[in-house]
Amino acid sequence: MKIICIGRNYADHAKEMNSAVPTVPMFFMKPDIALLRPGTPFFYPSFSKDIHYECEVVVKIDRVGKNIAERFAHKYYSEIGLGIDFTARDLQEECKKKGHPWEIAKSFEGSAAISKQFISVEGIDVNSLPFSMQQNGTVVQNGMTSDMIFTIDALISYISKFMTLKKGDLIYTGTPAGVGPIAIGDVLKGFYGEKEMFSVLVK
Ligand code: MG
């Protein structure tokens, strides 16, 4: 199972990170052991002093595909979840400065929180879906999938040029503005509209 994460897919987040808005999608990967099973606390790792949350819409691939045309991409998923791309921002800044890969900042154990439930995309417009995240009861991120620079279908098409997508692969589709640090004791809750999708305790 692969976990593929999109960087800078919302202009407002690219701006808050002082990053250029991309003209083609940018992606990186997390290993399977990065997946934080629903109901499991996130343990603040000792190697970072600045872990950030990034709430993201997660697409679950349910069919094998390679070189998928954008117009057929919708046939490769039927459910979406919601998750957090946990990021060691201090290590990421170092990686960026040195031109190093991002793995130590992005791909560590437990860095991909995922909702227990996935919702069916049947009858809903995945390109017009509101989602949000609360930190200790305060809304910190308010996203709308229509603000994605590259749509879910465009992302699937692009990624599948480079690697075969398989059933069970997860695509974290990027985060909107409002990312920020977490602290031990925090409770992070993600929502589609009013529907609670995940609740993660930071330990
Ligand atoms: Mg992210």
Side-chain angles (χ1 to χ4, degrees):
M1 184 266 262
K2 300 190 284 297
I3 303 171
I4 301 154
C5 305
I6 310 299
R8 301 167 195 163
N9 200 24
Y10 291 81
D12 57 355
H13 172 62
K15 198 174 164 193
E16 76 178 347
M17 298 302 294
N18 294 314
S19 300
V21 173
T23 51
V24 289
M26 189 270 268
F27 71 87
F28 56 91
M29 294 177 72
K30 297 186 188 237
D32 56 359
I33 50 88
L35 205 63
L36 186 70
R37 301 280 166 195
T40 311
F42 175 81
F43 288 95
Y44 204 110
S46 58
F47 51 75
S48 174
K49 289 186 166 51
D50 194 24
I51 300 285
H52 278 205
Y53 57 79
E54 295 186 357
C55 182
E56 310 196 359
V57 171
V58 182
V59 178
K60 191 199 281 174
I61 297 296
D62 61 6
R63 193 176 150 191
V64 177
K66 190 179 181 181
N67 287 316
I68 301 164
E70 190 174 330
R71 68 184 185 282
F72 297 129
H74 66 276
K75 295 174 185 279
Y76 290 81
Y77 64 99
S78 52
E79 291 184 312
I80 53 172
L82 196 65
I84 302 174
D85 163 21
F86 282 112
T87 303
R89 197 68 76 199
D90 44 357
L91 299 185
Q92 188 193 28
E93 290 307 317
E94 282 298 307
C95 292
K96 283 182 181 174
K97 262 186 230 159
K98 293 175 180 166
H100 285 180
W102 288 6
E103 270 81 354
I104 59 167
K106 285 285 197 181
S107 309
F108 51 90
E109 191 127 1
S111 62
I114 188 69
S115 54
K116 186 171 184 180
Q117 287 173 284
F118 278 63
I119 59 171
S120 169
V121 299
E122 199 164 322
I124 64 164
D125 180 3
V126 293
N127 297 315
S128 179
L129 202 60
F131 62 101
S132 63
M133 204 195 81
Q134 295 180 5
Q135 183 177 29
N136 306 320
T138 303
V139 177
V140 287
Q141 287 191 286
N142 244 322
M144 189 70 189
T145 54
S146 53
D147 292 330
M148 286 183 181
I149 297 169
F150 304 102
T151 63
I152 290 171
D153 290 355
L155 295 172
I156 288 172
S157 176
Y158 183 78
I159 295 163
S160 72
K161 286 183 198 176
F162 300 91
M163 51 186 73
T164 298
L165 289 171
K166 289 181 163 179
K167 194 174 170 170
D169 288 351
L170 298 175
I171 303 174
Y172 282 63
T173 57
T175 199
V179 301
I182 58 167
I184 291 169
D186 278 358
V187 176
L188 309 170
K189 288 180 187 280
F191 298 84
Y192 274 132
E194 302 288 305
K195 186 181 171 64
E196 184 177 313
M197 296 296 292
F198 65 72
S199 179
V200 177
L201 171 66
V202 181
K203 275 189 146 174

